[in-house]
Amino acid sequence: MRFLILALLCGLLGEDPPQDTVTLTRGKPLKGVILRHDAGGLWLAKKTRIKHYPLEEVVKTEGPRTVRQEYLKKLKTAFSEVPDADASFALSQWCQKNGLLREVNLHLWRALLIDPKHEAAHKALDHKRWRGLWRIPTQGRGKISLGDLREYRRTDFSHAWKFTTTHFDIRCAGDLPDLVRLCADLEFLYDAYYSTFQEIIGFWEARQPILIHIYPDKASMPNLANTVDAYYHKASRTVHTYFHDGIAKELIHETTHALLAQSIREFARNDPAIPGWLNEGMAEYMEVSFAGSPGKPDYEAGRKNPKHFEVHAKHKQPDSIQRVLTYDSGEFMASTDQSLKYAQSYNLVQYLLHGAEEERKEGFLRFLQSVYERKGSSSHFKNALGLKNWDDFEEDWMKWLRTQTE
């Protein structure tokens, strides 16, 4: 029923993902998806066609991507202040009005968590009264109470919740409050990744939602390897994780893998070829940059992880820069020196973004751009950074590392 309501809303307001409107200095307003809007101009997608417009030609933009930052402020406020059912319902209506259709039901369910008798939220979700009590139609279980529904969907992935946010499709077997906070965290992560890297690399807004599967415990999750807690499955483009004490394990880390792969696929329209060290280094970088509690993340780009510095600095024989640059993704599943590989990958990304000289940082950003064009080899790295030899680079890297452990 929830997806039927969503489909009806999308039918009223346009395609899914809902479209934006761009008004230019001349001609009729244009409909499409704003893929990027920054100092370089505006890129608008109409199905498979992408058109660029200089900023001086753009008079006005309207639609879900135009109000994105305003929504994130409202979302942060909603999870920072005292929970208010009427405020959550009002936010759902604001999302519907502004074309953020995939966010509507999240706030309706949150309103019911705060006030299980909230009439407007029940009606919006098409719940029914029976003998004076609200009941929720459930396939295979008939009409049940909110409390019974929460228990039904909490412990078995085959009965999991199915939620959407602007950029994610989430299937989750867990308690509803944990799921609601997790949905907010995913959108905050998406914004953090895009606000940090989109303009400097130039990739597009994601039009295809990222799939997130969350299991009630590790035993319920399909096993990839005994040495990993959670994982991003490339073939199905799905993040797999599980709840432990109400927290989805490695959610930030694994979803960063998905964001990196999805943004490359959206931009280049082919399968990404991401170097292993960069894939894990960026995931560690984003995970470390996030702090705070579920639903209330505190993002600080470049926040440091002293443990990674220490593992690398104190290892008797760390890998050379040439070896790090050839890490294969499968090597991170091996138990031998696994912590060292994660540490060196993270430390290299951290050094290049925040510790290296400006010229070297700019070279790394050029390398990131090349990765989006399937050019991620060690020779591409060396050329992008203008390196004459590996020894000088490694010496500078190790010198910086020592300053982090003193």
Side-chain angles (χ1 to χ4, degrees), residues 135-145 149 152-153:
R135 290 292 182 262
I136 302 168
T138 306
Q139 188 173 5
R141 293 291 298 272
K143 297 176 181 178
I144 61 178
S145 68
L149 180 66
Y152 177 63
R153 300 215 185 280

Side-chain angles (χ1 to χ4, degrees), residues 122-393:
H122 276 296
K123 286 183 176 179
L125 288 165
D126 203 33
H127 299 166
K128 307 297 182 183
R129 277 189 184 276
W130 185 74
R131 294 184 179 178
L133 300 175
W134 286 104
R135 290 292 182 262
I136 302 168
T138 306
Q139 188 173 5
R141 293 291 298 272
K143 297 176 181 178
I144 61 178
S145 68
L146 177 60
D148 288 342
L149 180 66
R150 286 175 59 178
E151 186 62 26
Y152 177 63
R153 300 215 185 280
R154 186 178 64 83
T155 57
D156 189 338
F157 191 72
S158 65
H159 303 151
W161 300 95
K162 295 179 181 178
F163 268 40
T164 64
T165 67
T166 300
H167 300 104
F168 299 91
D169 281 350
I170 303 118
R171 185 175 175 185
C172 171
D175 201 3
L176 187 56
D178 298 327
L179 170 57
V180 166
R181 289 189 291 265
L182 179 147
C183 288
D185 285 344
L186 286 170
E187 286 300 326
F188 289 135
L189 171 61
Y190 181 97
D191 179 67
Y193 184 82
Y194 272 67
S195 63
T196 302
F197 296 109
Q198 185 182 32
E199 186 169 356
I200 58 179
I201 297 176
F203 51 79
W204 304 141
E205 160 83 2
R207 285 174 282 179
Q208 181 178 348
I210 293 170
L211 305 179
I212 308 287
H213 285 184
I214 308 167
Y215 301 83
D217 49 52
K218 189 172 184 178
S220 303
M221 184 179 73
N223 186 41
L224 181 67
N226 292 331
T227 54
V228 298
D229 252 353
Y231 59 93
Y232 170 63
H233 190 255
K234 295 179 183 178
S236 63
R237 306 178 197 176
T238 304
V239 172
H240 293 267
T241 182
Y242 64 95
F243 277 122
H244 179 72
D245 293 336
I247 306 294
K249 298 285 285 187
E250 304 289 341
L251 180 68
I252 301 297
H253 183 104
E254 298 305 326
T255 305
T256 300
H257 288 321
L259 286 169
L260 184 55
Q262 179 76 2
S263 58
I264 290 175
R265 194 182 303 276
E266 183 71 49
F267 184 71
R269 292 295 180 184
N270 56 24
D271 289 335
I274 309 167
W277 72 270
L278 181 66
N279 202 17
E280 297 300 339
M282 290 284 279
E284 286 291 302
Y285 176 86
M286 293 302 295
E287 184 175 32
V288 173
S289 295
F290 270 88
S293 56
K296 303 177 184 179
D298 174 26
Y299 176 69
E300 179 187 324
R303 183 180 274 119
K304 297 178 180 180
N305 184 339
K307 182 178 179 180
H308 280 328
F309 299 147
E310 185 176 347
V311 167
H312 186 178
K314 292 187 176 181
H315 198 278
K316 293 180 179 179
Q317 193 174 354
D319 291 327
S320 67
I321 179 60
Q322 297 101 310
R323 176 71 181 94
V324 172
L325 294 176
T326 60
Y327 282 163
D328 181 82
S329 294
E331 294 185 67
F332 291 89
M333 298 182 191
S335 57
T336 303
D337 275 338
Q338 185 186 60
S339 60
L340 176 66
K341 290 181 174 64
Y342 278 108
Q344 290 199 246
S345 299
Y346 163 79
N347 292 343
L348 184 54
V349 170
Q350 180 75 15
Y351 164 67
L352 289 167
L353 286 177
H354 300 283
E357 296 177 357
E358 192 63 29
E359 183 177 350
R360 191 161 284 176
K361 176 181 177 179
E362 291 174 358
F364 177 58
L365 298 179
R366 287 193 295 271
F367 174 72
L368 284 179
Q369 292 170 342
S370 74
V371 170
Y372 276 71
E373 301 169 355
R374 297 181 62 84
K375 299 173 182 177
S377 68
S378 58
S379 60
H380 288 116
F381 180 90
K382 192 173 185 179
N383 291 336
L385 273 71
L387 302 179
K388 295 181 179 180
N389 63 73
W390 293 114
D391 291 341
D392 289 345
F393 178 87

